[in-house]
Amino acid sequence: MKAAFLTGLRKIEIRDAPEPALRRPADVLLEVETVGVCGSDMHYYKAGRIGCQIVEYPWIVGHECAGRVMEVGPEVTRVKVGDRVAVDPLVHCGRCDQCRLGQIHTCRHQGFLGCPGQLQGSMCERLVMPAASCFPIPETMSTTQATLCEPFSIALWAAKLADPRPGQKLGILGSGPIGLTVLAACKLAAECTVYQTDLIPGRMDMARRIGADWVGKADEIDVVEQIGIAEPLGLDVVIECVGEQETIDQCLELVKPCGKVVIVGIPEADRLSFEMNHMRRKEVRIQNVRRQLGQVERAIELVAAGEVDLDVLVTHEFDFDQAQEAYDLVAEYRDGVVKGMIHLDGGS
Ligand SMILES: [Zn+2]
Ligand SMILES: [Zn+2]
């Protein structure tokens, strides 16, 4: 089969790879149809690492995908050959203390698609996953929508941890695919007012379309001052979807006393600092978000029911042999890109 390998910094080559085969009785062989380009993939593409996870070349990246079931192991009951499925990129062990507590997203022996040293990614024609990671989608749902259920499930989990209440004031810093889906998820969770920021005008427009009540361009205005004028008491919850020191600083300034800061963004730096005056005097609660837990089915239901329109996020579509082009576009934030989708089957 063909697979897209990272072969160096900012280098992708389509090469032949061994045909994957079922290994365990609960495994499923999938024909991958669509793969999304994620901001986290960009860390591997541009920097060759996220923290201690360092790419050893050649390496297949990609973790947002959907496809069709080609073969199932003898113990598989939840999907059958021919089913179209959304894929949860996490494979958990089922035995460790975290798994036994139901916290499979922090499994101690987890494998995640495209994570160096764990599992090769999904930018390949065929993929083997445990049935537990495969979620059937309705006939009416496109594979693009099914692929978007992965980032959307992270947004649903972030919104669950942010736990907005009706009438609350929220800040969402960053309007990439995650910031925008977090916005959609928070608006679904409660009737709240959302102050959203970004640097890219196209993403700001999209935030307005999805329902942000106020959108600010963070390099042109003083975000803290402007939101402070509108909300002198501060914000109940501020959700960081960038991963930069500057936005962490803004969170601590914007949040009201006893408010909550939710961190979703993945920093390129190993360490970020938290201004202790604000932390201490406001008794700020910090909540980190690790991917998602148990939200994929809900994501599929909400998309299928038309409760949320994720298609608007897809600004660019590519064929498999354009993978490098897709990654470059996202890496350089060119041409107003929000979400790039790669179609391995040539369709959409
Ligand atoms: Zn992702
Ligand atoms: Zn485990």
Side-chain angles (χ1 to χ4, degrees):
M1 69 162 179
K2 299 221 173 303
F5 286 91
L6 278 186
T7 55
L9 287 184
R10 292 177 181 257
K11 265 184 92 164
I12 292 180
E13 282 175 43
I14 311 274
R15 292 183 182 174
D16 281 323
E19 213 42 75
L22 303 184
R23 292 176 303 262
R24 294 180 203 87
D27 276 352
V28 171
L29 176 66
L30 299 170
E31 174 110 72
V32 179
E33 292 182 0
T34 307
V35 180
V37 183
C38 174
S40 67
D41 299 326
M42 285 305 122
H43 292 283
Y44 299 129
Y45 185 63
K46 292 199 280 188
R49 63 192 282 252
I50 295 179
C52 58
Q53 287 162 331
I54 299 165
V55 176
E56 280 183 38
Y57 304 107
W59 182 253
I60 306 174
V61 279
H63 57 274
E64 300 177 358
C65 67
R68 192 179 289 275
V69 175
M70 296 177 72
E71 194 185 337
V72 298
E75 280 179 16
V76 174
T77 52
R78 56 182 285 150
V79 296
K80 58 183 188 308
V81 173
D83 280 355
R84 295 159 65 239
V85 295
V87 175
D88 176 358
L90 180 84
V91 178
H92 64 283
C93 80
R95 295 181 309 273
C96 73
D97 61 326
Q98 296 298 301
C99 284
R100 284 200 302 267
L101 287 167
Q103 297 158 186
I104 63 169
H105 62 320
T106 50
C107 168
R108 292 179 192 269
H109 312 292
Q110 63 183 266
F112 194 86
L113 285 179
C115 254
Q118 296 182 14
L119 300 173
Q120 292 269 11
S122 58
M123 285 231 288
C124 51
E125 290 178 305
R126 282 170 289 283
L127 184 68
V128 167
M129 287 297 278
S133 292
C134 301
F135 294 82
I137 57 169
E139 215 32 67
T140 50
M141 185 179 279
S142 69
T143 47
T144 293
Q145 290 170 325
T147 303
L148 290 167
C149 283
E150 198 275 338
F152 185 46
S153 66
I154 293 169
L156 289 172
W157 182 238
K160 199 168 172 138
L161 295 174
D163 195 21
R165 302 296 166 87
Q168 280 195 332
K169 318 290 185 182
L170 266 64
I172 300 176
L173 309 185
S175 304
I178 289 293
L180 292 169
T181 46
V182 166
L183 165 63
C186 286
K187 285 285 182 177
L188 282 170
E191 258 183 57
C192 50
T193 303
V194 175
Y195 293 82
Q196 185 121 6
T197 64
D198 205 76
L199 303 173
I200 302 172
R203 294 183 174 199
M204 296 167 59
D205 290 343
M206 220 172 260
R208 278 185 208 99
R209 272 168 74 188
I210 294 171
D213 300 276
W214 179 99
V215 182
K217 194 163 185 307
D219 55 350
E220 282 181 1
I221 59 162
D222 184 329
V223 165
V224 171
E225 188 182 285
Q226 292 301 312
I227 297 176
I229 290 168
E231 299 293 345
L233 297 179
L235 302 176
D236 298 283
V237 183
V238 190
I239 308 175
E240 206 281 345
C241 300
V242 181
E244 295 283 348
Q245 184 63 55
E246 191 181 344
T247 36
I248 295 282
D249 292 344
Q250 289 169 349
C251 286
L252 296 184
E253 293 210 62
L254 288 167
V255 72
K256 67 165 61 166
C258 290
K260 196 193 282 187
V261 170
V262 179
I263 300 174
V264 193
I266 300 175
E268 197 138 312
D270 289 334
R271 284 168 188 264
L272 294 177
S273 62
F274 290 76
E275 214 264 283
M276 287 312 293
N277 270 315
H278 291 307
M279 289 284 283
R280 208 170 48 79
R281 284 188 288 115
K282 291 185 182 175
E283 199 177 74
V284 178
R285 284 173 293 158
I286 302 277
Q287 171 73 60
N288 240 279
V289 177
R290 178 59 168 162
R291 300 183 187 132
Q292 63 91 22
L293 177 62
Q295 304 297 309
V296 180
E297 266 160 330
R298 199 164 149 249
I300 293 170
E301 278 166 24
L302 289 167
V303 173
E307 293 281 332
V308 61
D309 178 11
L310 300 181
D311 288 321
V312 296
L313 300 173
V314 181
T315 50
H316 295 75
E317 301 189 77
F318 300 88
D319 292 331
F320 194 22
D321 55 13
Q322 297 173 302
Q324 167 106 50
E325 210 175 298
Y327 268 59
D328 280 335
L329 187 87
V330 176
E332 286 149 31
Y333 300 96
R334 260 194 279 125
D335 196 25
V337 64
V338 177
K339 194 66 165 172
M341 275 291 159
I342 299 173
H343 299 290
L344 281 77
D345 59 347
S348 60

